[in-house]
């Protein structure tokens, strides 16, 4: 008959506490909670100006957007003291200039980023990267004055909307280059190496693997660039002053935009004009918001499926 042996409990190792297994001590828990509070406070402080701006713009300009004339009529024949009219001329001008600017900037910016990430080596790549850094820090008025000096002073041409697009292109290209470059760097090298191992040429790997994988990020960068140039005012004032009528020809006369409409009506300092200022500002915010939503949808449905 077997007997159960007793175990000396004093010989067993002492029970480990939470601290031995990496649990939080009192001091670490306090630091963690303090960091959490600081982050939330910083978030709220950063959110206050955004909510304030959006709220003020909505309260002061929302009633303008509820009028059907705002979306169907221009300001032709409307004086600063007279209420009425719309912003269709400025909306069309803003969208046309943004589209043309994007058509010029996006191919140049994306191809430059592809070169820097996939091919760029040596002094040429460093020079290109350095020039992109310089363009990133150039103020909008400097870009406008450069195009004015080249377009008007040197070549003797008139101030035209296409010159505005050239100035905006200088501002959009560095944003597209840097954002696209960062997205391309996030693509795992294993994907490239697997493609090369199957005998796929480098250019086809970039076209079929690298760019589709980072497409959503590239779209986000393009929209950031568009959001910047659509809100610029200095190039528009210098190269394309405001007009109150509908104008869609980039190579003839002036072309109205929402930023110049805001500037023009604000300088009038009369209540009807001030109302149009807030309405144009809210319209510009809504356009940029719609573009961002569209970009997110495009990026979501264009991701490479596993």
């Amino acid at each position: 008959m077997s007997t159960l042996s007793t175990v000396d409990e004093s010989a067993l190792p002492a029970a480990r506490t939470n601290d031995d297994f990496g649990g939080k001590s009192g001091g670490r828990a306090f630091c963690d909670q303090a960091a959490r509070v600081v982050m939330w406070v910083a978030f709220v402080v950063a959110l206050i100006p955004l909510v304030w701006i959006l709220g003020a713009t909505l309260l002061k300009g929302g009633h303008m957007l509820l009028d059907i004339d705002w979306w169907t009529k221009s300001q032709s024949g409307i004086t600063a003291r007279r209420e009425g009219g719309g912003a269709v001329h400025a909306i069309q001008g803003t969208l046309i200039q943004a589209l043309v600017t994007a058509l010029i900037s996006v191919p140049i910016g994306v191809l430059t980023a592809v070169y820097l990430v996939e091919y760029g080596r040596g002094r040429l790549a460093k020079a290109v990267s350095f020039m992109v850094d310089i363009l990133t820090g150039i103020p909008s008025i400097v870009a406008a004055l450069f195009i004015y000096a080249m377009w008007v002073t040197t070549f003797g041409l008139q101030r035209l909307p296409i010159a505005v697009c050239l100035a905006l292109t200088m501002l959009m290209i560095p944003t597209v280059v840097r954002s696209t470059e960062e997205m391309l760097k996030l693509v795992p090298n294993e994907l490239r190496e697997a493609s090369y191992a199957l005998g796929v040429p480098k250019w086809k790997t970039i076209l079929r693997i690298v760019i589709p994988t980072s497409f959503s990020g590239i779209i986000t960068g393009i929209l950031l660039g568009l959001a910047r140039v659509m809100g610029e005012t200095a190039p528009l004032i210098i190269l394309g002053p405001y007009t109150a009528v509908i104008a869609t020809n980039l190579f003839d006369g002036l072309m109205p935009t929402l930023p110049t409409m805001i500037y023009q009506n604000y300088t009038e300092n009369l209540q009807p004009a001030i109302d149009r200022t807030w309405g144009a500002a809210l319209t510009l915010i809504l356009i940029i918001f719609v573009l961002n939503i569209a970009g997110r949808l495009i990026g979501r449905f264009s991701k490479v499926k596993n």
Side-chain angles (χ1 to χ4, degrees):
M1 183 175 179
S2 62
T3 59
L4 296 175
S5 60
T6 59
V7 179
D8 186 5
E9 294 183 356
S10 61
L12 295 176
R16 296 187 179 182
T17 63
N18 286 338
D19 289 342
D20 296 328
F21 288 100
K24 294 179 181 178
S25 64
R28 291 163 64 185
F30 174 77
C31 292
D32 180 73
Q33 190 65 28
R36 191 187 305 272
V37 171
V38 170
M39 285 188 292
W40 274 105
V41 170
F43 170 74
V44 172
V45 170
L47 199 63
I48 289 174
L50 175 62
V51 174
W52 194 348
I53 292 173
L54 291 178
T57 307
L58 186 62
L59 289 175
K60 297 182 180 181
H63 66 282
M64 300 295 296
L65 275 64
L66 298 177
D67 189 354
I68 190 63
D69 289 345
W70 182 260
W71 305 100
T72 58
K73 295 183 179 180
S74 67
Q75 290 293 311
S76 180
I78 305 297
T79 62
R81 298 179 180 275
R82 179 182 169 186
E83 296 183 355
V88 66
H89 61 307
I91 296 173
Q92 289 182 357
T94 298
L95 294 178
I96 291 173
Q97 290 189 5
L99 177 61
V100 174
T101 301
L103 289 176
I104 300 173
S105 304
V106 171
I108 297 175
V110 172
L111 291 176
T112 301
V114 170
Y115 166 76
L116 291 175
V117 175
E118 303 293 338
Y119 295 97
R121 300 292 184 273
R123 295 183 179 179
L124 180 59
K126 292 181 180 179
V128 172
S129 181
F130 178 69
M131 294 304 297
V132 172
D133 290 336
I134 292 177
L135 284 176
T136 303
I138 287 181
S140 59
I141 192 170
V142 174
L145 291 175
F146 172 76
I147 297 298
Y148 182 89
M150 182 182 67
W151 187 269
V152 179
T153 306
T154 304
F155 295 107
L157 301 174
Q158 296 180 348
R159 294 189 296 175
L160 297 173
I162 188 63
V164 176
C165 295
L166 295 178
L168 296 178
T169 297
M170 295 180 60
L171 303 175
M172 184 173 177
I173 285 178
T175 303
V176 176
V177 171
R178 285 308 179 207
S179 59
T180 303
E181 186 179 1
E182 293 302 321
M183 291 301 105
L184 294 178
K185 289 179 179 179
L186 293 177
V187 177
N189 285 327
E190 288 78 5
L191 293 178
R192 297 180 176 89
E193 293 170 357
S195 180
Y196 299 153
L198 295 174
V200 180
K202 187 170 185 175
W203 68 269
K204 188 174 290 187
T205 299
I206 296 171
L207 193 62
R208 297 291 183 87
I209 303 297
V210 178
I211 292 181
T213 303
S214 57
F215 187 74
S216 60
I218 294 175
I219 291 296
T220 302
I222 292 172
L223 292 176
L224 287 175
L226 273 178
R228 178 188 178 185
V229 300
M230 290 178 69
E232 290 292 349
T233 306
L236 304 175
I237 295 175
I238 294 175
L239 297 168
Y242 176 74
T243 179
V245 300
I246 294 176
T248 58
N249 191 348
L250 289 168
F251 299 93
D252 183 28
L254 306 178
M255 179 176 289
T257 59
L258 288 170
T260 51
M261 181 179 178
I262 294 171
Y263 175 79
Q264 180 67 29
N265 284 276
Y266 180 77
T267 56
E268 300 292 346
N269 200 25
L270 296 170
Q271 190 57 46
I274 295 298
D275 290 339
R276 287 191 286 269
T277 297
W278 287 106
L282 182 58
T283 303
L284 184 59
I285 292 174
L286 288 178
I287 291 175
I288 295 175
F289 176 76
V290 170
L291 286 176
N292 278 274
I293 295 297
R296 290 183 178 272
L297 292 176
I298 292 173
R300 176 176 298 179
F301 289 109
S302 61
K303 287 183 177 179
V304 177
K305 302 296 188 298
N306 295 326

